[in-house]
């Protein structure tokens, strides 16, 4: 599975104005994280007994892990569908996934009221295997470790092919580890496909129990299936989003062949998701709630229009040949798919009379700090390690490039 000739280090300055802008947001976010750990969770959040989960779990865990499913989605194409033309995209997708899942796990730690008892999670005699939340936590933690192992060849290649004559012992060790890791990697790839399938569906399962507290537009026994399909089309859309932005930001050619292929798959998945969504509403007799004209119906129509609109754009070949339209459609699908998860976890959730929640400024700043940290980490990684696909010629001369 060695494919080191497919990837390159993007050699350019690390310390740019964008780097320092992101770093400033990271510092503000981590300042409030420090306040949270010193003064307690009540000092920085508007969480309550009615709303024990706020924006950190809703965005950083439920939505952020879907945004980080690019590695999972591309792995399905490459290793399950045996479509190796997408292989050049997989390292950048895995790096995005690694940061997304690492920060999701960190957000859970932030959200733990008594975080000092966290060690109990690693003691098997305290496990509760019947808990969906336990399964999600175990899968997310294991998957983060699997992602780190999957991206390890990039670190080893950086050492092996370095022209510097320092650290020869480390370089020798890297040469010894690399072929052995390459042989074992297929085992971790299988794990890397199995684990997200389990925990992404379980992120939906967690709310099945909350029937009396959820709006009927979002509560259904099909939540696990909807969350699973949702994370896959978001994953492909995020790969397009990340690939296009990095191509423009790093002044590289677009990966037009791969993006065009993903653009054909997304409408099929989105149509399947919409089909399940409408079948479920009709079957439960709640389709009329979608057009009631109240706050929740507008929230439903918002997610629906973005997902359906993005899928509609990508269903037309003329639009698929336009990187600009593909990029716009990908953004619509990412926002629409994420909006759906916000609706399930926060907007459609009603704990009862007297409870209200809106994130505090520190909650927003911590979330923005973590997002900035993820972007910062990605930028630094691709400039230090062979992560980016090696540039290739544009295969379809009719395709626009670059984005205008």
């Amino acid at each position: 599975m060695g494919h080191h000739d497919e990837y390159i280090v993007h050699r350019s300055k690390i310390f740019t104005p964008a780097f320092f802008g992101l770093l400033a947001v990271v510092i503000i976010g981590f300042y409030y994280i420090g306040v949270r750990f010193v003064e307690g969770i009540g000092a920085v959040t508007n969480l309550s007994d009615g709303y024990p989960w706020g924006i950190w779990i809703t965005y950083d865990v439920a939505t952020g892990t879907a945004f980080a499913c690019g590695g999972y989605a591309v792995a399905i194409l490459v290793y399950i569908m045996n479509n190796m033309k997408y292989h050049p995209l997989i390292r950048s997708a895995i790096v995005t996934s690694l940061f997304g899942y690492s920060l999701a796990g960190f957000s859970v730690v932030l959200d733990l009221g008594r975080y000092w008892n966290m060690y109990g999670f690693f003691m098997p005699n305290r496990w509760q295997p019947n808990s969906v939340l336990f399964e999600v936590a175990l899968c997310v933690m294991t998957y983060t470790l699997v992602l780190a192992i999957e991206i390890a060849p990039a670190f080893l290649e950086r050492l092996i092919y370095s022209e510097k004559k320092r650290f020869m012992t480390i370089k020798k060790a890297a040469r010894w580890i690399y072929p052995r890791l390459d042989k074992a990697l297929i085992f971790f790839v299988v794990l890397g496909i199995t684990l997200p399938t389990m925990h992404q569906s379980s992120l939906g399962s967690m709310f099945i129990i909350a029937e009396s507290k959820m709006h009927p537009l979002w509560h259904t026994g099909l939540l696990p299936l909807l969350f699973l399909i949702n994370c896959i089309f978001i994953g492909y859309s995020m790969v397009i989003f990340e690939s296009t932005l990095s191509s423009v930001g790093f002044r590289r050619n677009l990966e037009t062949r791969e993006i065009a292929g993903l653009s054909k798959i997304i409408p099929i998945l989105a149509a399947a998701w919409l089909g399940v969504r409408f079948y479920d509403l009709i079957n439960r007799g709640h389709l009329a709630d979608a057009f009631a004209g109240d706050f929740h119906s507008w929230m439903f129509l918002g997610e629906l229009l973005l997902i359906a609109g993005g899928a509609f754009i990508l269903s037309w070949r003329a639009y698929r040949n336009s990187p600009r339209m593909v990029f716009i459609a990908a953004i619509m699908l990412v926002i629409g798919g994420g909006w759906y998860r916000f609706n399930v976890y926060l907007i459609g959730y009603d704990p009862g009379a007297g409870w209200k929640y809106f994130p505090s400024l520190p909650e927003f700043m911590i979330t923005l700090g973590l997002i900035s940290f993820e972007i910062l980490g990605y930028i630094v990684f691709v400039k230090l390690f062979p992560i980016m696909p090696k540039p290739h010629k544009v295969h379809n001369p009719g395709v626009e490039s670059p984005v205008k």
Side-chain angles (χ1 to χ4, degrees):
M1 296 175 68
H3 296 275
H4 70 271
D5 56 334
E6 290 181 335
Y7 307 99
I8 58 167
V9 179
H10 180 74
R11 298 191 183 280
S12 64
K13 285 174 61 179
I14 291 177
F15 301 109
T16 61
F19 176 93
F20 289 110
L22 289 166
L23 184 61
V25 181
V26 171
I27 291 171
I28 295 171
F30 275 80
Y31 163 75
Y32 283 117
I33 288 173
V35 174
R36 179 263 172 269
F37 282 121
V38 173
E39 298 185 16
I41 199 167
V44 294
T45 72
N46 286 336
L47 297 177
S48 61
D49 289 342
Y51 282 96
W53 287 355
I55 192 172
W56 293 342
I57 296 298
T58 303
Y59 175 76
D60 299 341
V61 178
T63 308
T65 56
F67 290 173
C69 272
Y72 165 58
V74 175
I76 291 174
L77 276 180
V78 173
Y79 299 112
I80 302 295
M81 311 297 287
N82 198 29
N83 205 330
M84 297 305 289
K85 80 173 182 182
Y86 297 104
H87 198 271
L89 295 176
I90 202 155
R91 279 195 182 171
S92 54
I94 288 175
V95 169
T96 307
S97 298
L98 178 59
F99 276 105
Y101 272 84
S102 299
L103 296 178
F106 183 61
S107 297
V108 172
V109 176
L110 288 179
D111 216 61
L112 292 176
R114 299 179 180 180
Y115 58 87
W116 52 87
N117 288 329
M118 189 175 57
Y119 71 91
F121 179 78
F122 301 95
M123 300 173 68
N125 63 331
R126 296 189 181 183
W127 286 1
Q128 174 48 274
N130 295 323
S131 165
V132 175
L133 193 56
F134 170 77
E135 184 218 323
V136 170
L138 189 63
C139 283
V140 168
M141 190 178 66
T142 310
Y143 184 51
T144 305
L145 180 63
V146 167
L147 287 167
I149 294 170
E150 285 183 328
I151 204 63
F155 293 88
L156 296 174
E157 287 166 15
R158 186 75 172 90
L159 288 168
I160 292 169
Y161 297 104
S162 171
E163 295 176 355
K164 295 179 180 177
K165 295 185 178 177
R166 293 180 296 173
F167 311 117
M168 290 306 293
T169 305
I170 298 175
K171 187 182 282 193
K172 189 176 176 182
R175 284 201 189 100
W176 185 86
I177 294 170
Y178 186 82
R180 289 160 179 80
L181 176 63
D182 197 46
K183 287 180 181 175
L185 213 51
I186 188 64
F187 169 73
F188 295 102
V189 167
V190 172
L191 267 181
I193 293 173
T194 305
L195 291 169
T197 306
M198 292 169 64
H199 68 251
Q200 283 296 333
S201 58
S202 295
L203 283 170
S205 301
M206 283 201 295
F207 274 78
I208 291 178
I209 198 173
E211 182 175 4
S212 61
K213 296 181 179 180
M214 281 189 68
H215 194 281
L217 279 173
W218 292 285
H219 184 273
T220 166
L222 297 177
L223 274 169
L225 178 63
L226 287 167
F227 265 62
L228 184 60
I229 303 173
N230 171 274
C231 85
I232 299 174
F233 75 71
I234 289 178
Y236 290 133
S237 302
M238 275 303 291
V239 171
I240 293 174
F241 177 77
E242 173 264 320
S243 175
T244 306
L245 273 190
S246 59
S247 294
V248 174
F250 298 149
R251 302 185 184 206
R252 295 162 40 88
N253 283 335
L254 290 171
E255 283 96 28
T256 48
R257 180 182 59 165
E258 294 83 359
I259 287 176
L262 296 180
S263 302
K264 291 180 184 175
I265 300 167
I266 292 172
I268 299 170
L269 290 166
W273 187 86
L274 290 167
V276 174
R277 195 89 169 87
F278 275 100
Y279 164 78
D280 172 65
L281 287 173
I282 294 169
N283 191 46
R284 290 188 294 113
H286 285 289
L287 184 61
D289 293 341
F291 305 100
D294 58 13
F295 172 73
H296 288 102
S297 75
W298 284 115
M299 290 293 106
F300 169 84
L301 291 173
E303 73 178 41
L304 185 78
L305 289 174
L306 283 169
I307 293 171
F312 177 79
I313 290 172
L314 294 181
S315 64
W316 292 86
R317 183 175 181 179
Y319 291 143
R320 286 200 303 271
N321 281 339
S322 165
R324 187 191 301 118
M325 293 305 296
V326 170
F327 184 65
I328 290 171
I331 291 176
M332 291 172 69
L333 285 153
V334 167
I335 295 175
W339 191 338
Y340 167 71
R341 292 187 176 226
F342 259 81
N343 284 339
V344 171
Y345 268 70
L346 205 57
I347 294 168
Y349 180 75
D350 182 4
W355 297 110
K356 290 184 179 178
Y357 170 77
F358 190 81
S360 66
L361 178 63
E363 284 180 89
F364 275 122
M365 292 312 301
I366 287 174
T367 296
L368 286 175
L370 293 178
I371 294 170
S372 300
F373 183 80
E374 183 177 353
I375 298 170
L376 201 60
Y378 178 87
I379 292 172
V380 172
F381 258 55
V382 300
K383 292 181 178 180
L384 291 178
F385 302 102
I387 303 293
M388 302 299 292
K390 188 173 282 187
H392 56 73
K393 293 180 180 179
V394 178
H395 286 247
N396 183 352
V399 175
E400 298 176 24
S401 178
V403 176
K404 296 177 181 178

